[in-house]
Amino acid sequence: MLQRANSMKLQTQIPLEKQSNNLIDYNSNVLLLGSCFVEHIGGKLEYFKFQNLQNPLGISFHPKAIETLIIKAINKKEYSEKDVFFHNEQWHCFDAHSKLSSTSKEDLLEHLNTAIKSLNQQVSKSTHIIITLGTAWVYNHIKTKNTVANCHKVPQKEFKKELMSVDAVFKSLKNIVELIKSKNTNASILFTVSPVRHIKDGFVENTQSKAHLISAIHQIVNKKNGTYYFPSYEIMMDELRDYRFYNEDMLHPNQVAINYIWEKFQEGWISKEASVTMGNVDVIQKGLLHKSFNKNSEAHQKFLQNLDSKIEKLKIECPHIVF
């Protein structure tokens, strides 16, 4: 007898363990650190008006870069002139992304120290800290013997490329967790691995790198210590195993994939009450983007009044929300 079509499973589904507590709601404060995938999840949190801070020093791809930031933030270490350098007509810092680079040394230092201060405060008040790791490959600056977060197009001969061992990644993550917990014992720390493939390292090398990250993370994860894992990498590799879910570069998830992984994240980590509020925020956000053919029409004025009414009602529930 032929199996009925509607009972067929045409996609592997990764079982997600739903959290019974520690869920994100509109009272939560979320810190996101790590690779560019942080910007996708962070962008959703920002759109839905959750309290959050994303990568104050820009994207960080590997564990050592994140560890360096946490060390500096926890210890309130300020950046000084010895921490920046001039290259290609701009001032840079090896700990920060190029988006912070500036033609003014003073401006760069001000931005760096403001970011570190902000990160220190955020670690203290965060209910959830999401850390997304992209690669285990690192570049060590030969002259200073420091592992850099960004090479800033400095000639490659000035660096030594190295793959962090599983043990090295583990030690880095262990230090990150201990530092955060020394400042904030109540924060839930959620690790995830970016589904973006770093093909510049090589196909085999990228797989080895991801394997090192995943192996180390699973040595760290312990619910009793408030550390968790969200399988964004596995969802992309197994549930969305098709190039139609990638951008044109065939490396980065496209918007469909990002939305899908976000829905999985929402299912596992966002409270039901918050999901209701998210629906209200979404209606307002779409209303604010609405463009009228006749701004002076009576219908449009009523639409604006209705929108203002919805915003005011939402602000009573969540005073921190600003549109």
Side-chain angles (χ1 to χ4, degrees), residues 39-49 255 258-259 262:
E39 296 186 342
H40 298 319
I41 297 298
K44 293 289 187 181
L45 290 171
E46 188 68 31
Y47 175 84
F48 288 109
K49 298 298 180 180
Q255 197 58 50
I258 291 165
N259 292 343
W262 164 255

Side-chain angles (χ1 to χ4, degrees), residues 66-78:
I66 298 169
E67 181 187 2
T68 298
L69 294 184
I70 294 293
I71 289 171
K72 285 186 177 291
I74 296 294
N75 296 314
K76 298 181 179 179
K77 289 188 176 180
E78 287 199 350

Side-chain angles (χ1 to χ4, degrees), residues 114-133:
T114 298
I116 285 295
K117 185 178 179 181
S118 175
L119 182 55
N120 175 279
Q121 294 169 348
Q122 188 67 36
V123 169
S124 297
K125 66 183 180 182
S126 289
T127 56
H128 299 78
I129 298 175
I130 300 172
I131 297 175
T132 302
L133 304 178

Side-chain angles (χ1 to χ4, degrees), residues 197-243:
R197 291 174 296 160
H198 293 245
I199 298 305
K200 286 183 180 179
D201 296 322
F203 285 89
V204 174
E205 291 81 359
N206 172 71
T207 302
Q208 187 181 10
S209 164
K210 299 288 189 186
H212 283 204
L213 296 177
I214 292 167
S215 296
I217 287 173
H218 286 293
Q219 292 180 45
I220 285 288
V221 169
N222 182 351
K223 288 183 185 177
K224 292 179 180 178
N225 193 33
T227 50
Y228 305 85
Y229 181 70
F230 177 74
S232 56
Y233 177 79
E234 290 80 358
I235 291 169
M236 190 72 199
M237 294 297 110
D238 287 295
E239 292 195 29
L240 305 178
R241 53 166 72 196
D242 191 306
Y243 277 110

Side-chain angles (χ1 to χ4, degrees), residues 81-87 90-94 108 150-152 154:
E81 290 189 7
K82 65 180 176 59
D83 300 311
V84 299
F85 64 96
F86 193 72
H87 178 68
Q90 281 197 312
W91 288 93
H92 310 274
C93 175
F94 281 132
L108 173 59
N150 196 300
C151 294
H152 298 294
V154 171

Side-chain angles (χ1 to χ4, degrees), residues 22-28 30 44-45 48-51 128 262 265-267 269-282 314 317-318 320-321:
N22 297 327
L23 293 174
I24 296 171
D25 59 27
Y26 277 89
N27 293 315
S28 302
V30 187
K44 293 289 187 181
L45 290 171
F48 288 109
K49 298 298 180 180
F50 286 92
Q51 299 178 87
H128 299 78
W262 164 255
F265 181 81
Q266 183 179 343
E267 181 185 328
W269 277 95
I270 306 288
S271 73
K272 287 184 178 178
E273 294 77 12
S275 293
V276 174
T277 305
M278 287 168 63
N280 296 330
V281 171
D282 190 37
L314 191 60
E317 297 174 25
C318 307
H320 72 270
I321 291 181

Side-chain angles (χ1 to χ4, degrees), residues 127-315:
T127 56
H128 299 78
I129 298 175
I130 300 172
I131 297 175
T132 302
L133 304 178
T135 182
W137 286 100
V138 298
Y139 286 86
N140 298 312
H141 191 229
I142 296 170
K143 185 178 179 181
T144 61
K145 297 181 180 179
N146 291 328
T147 302
V148 304
N150 196 300
C151 294
H152 298 294
K153 297 183 180 178
V154 171
Q156 195 161 348
K157 64 182 180 181
E158 296 189 26
F159 302 94
K160 182 182 178 183
K161 187 178 180 181
E162 179 184 6
L163 179 67
M164 294 179 71
S165 66
V166 175
D167 189 51
V169 176
F170 169 77
K171 287 178 180 177
S172 184
L173 299 183
K174 185 172 182 285
N175 197 22
I176 289 169
V177 170
E178 288 176 351
L179 283 165
I180 290 171
K181 292 294 182 178
S182 72
K183 188 85 172 173
N184 182 346
T185 56
N186 296 320
S188 294
I189 304 172
L190 179 59
F191 288 101
T192 186
V193 173
S194 170
V196 178
R197 291 174 296 160
H198 293 245
I199 298 305
K200 286 183 180 179
D201 296 322
F203 285 89
V204 174
E205 291 81 359
N206 172 71
T207 302
Q208 187 181 10
S209 164
K210 299 288 189 186
H212 283 204
L213 296 177
I214 292 167
S215 296
I217 287 173
H218 286 293
Q219 292 180 45
I220 285 288
V221 169
N222 182 351
K223 288 183 185 177
K224 292 179 180 178
N225 193 33
T227 50
Y228 305 85
Y229 181 70
F230 177 74
S232 56
Y233 177 79
E234 290 80 358
I235 291 169
M236 190 72 199
M237 294 297 110
D238 287 295
E239 292 195 29
L240 305 178
R241 53 166 72 196
D242 191 306
Y243 277 110
R244 66 196 165 109
F245 296 115
Y246 285 86
N247 281 334
E248 288 181 2
D249 64 2
M250 299 300 164
L251 302 175
H252 290 77
N254 63 18
Q255 197 58 50
V256 173
I258 291 165
N259 292 343
Y260 185 89
I261 295 172
W262 164 255
E263 286 176 10
K264 291 283 187 177
F265 181 81
Q266 183 179 343
E267 181 185 328
W269 277 95
I270 306 288
S271 73
K272 287 184 178 178
E273 294 77 12
S275 293
V276 174
T277 305
M278 287 168 63
N280 296 330
V281 171
D282 190 37
V283 169
I284 293 170
Q285 292 280 47
K286 287 174 179 174
L288 291 170
L289 291 172
H290 175 72
K291 292 183 179 179
S292 173
F293 289 110
N294 184 359
K295 292 182 179 181
N296 298 318
S297 68
E298 185 178 343
H300 183 63
Q301 294 307 310
K302 284 183 178 180
F303 171 80
L304 293 177
Q305 288 173 11
N306 187 35
L307 193 60
D308 286 339
S309 177
K310 288 177 180 177
I311 291 172
E312 289 306 313
K313 184 180 178 182
L314 191 60
K315 278 189 174 183

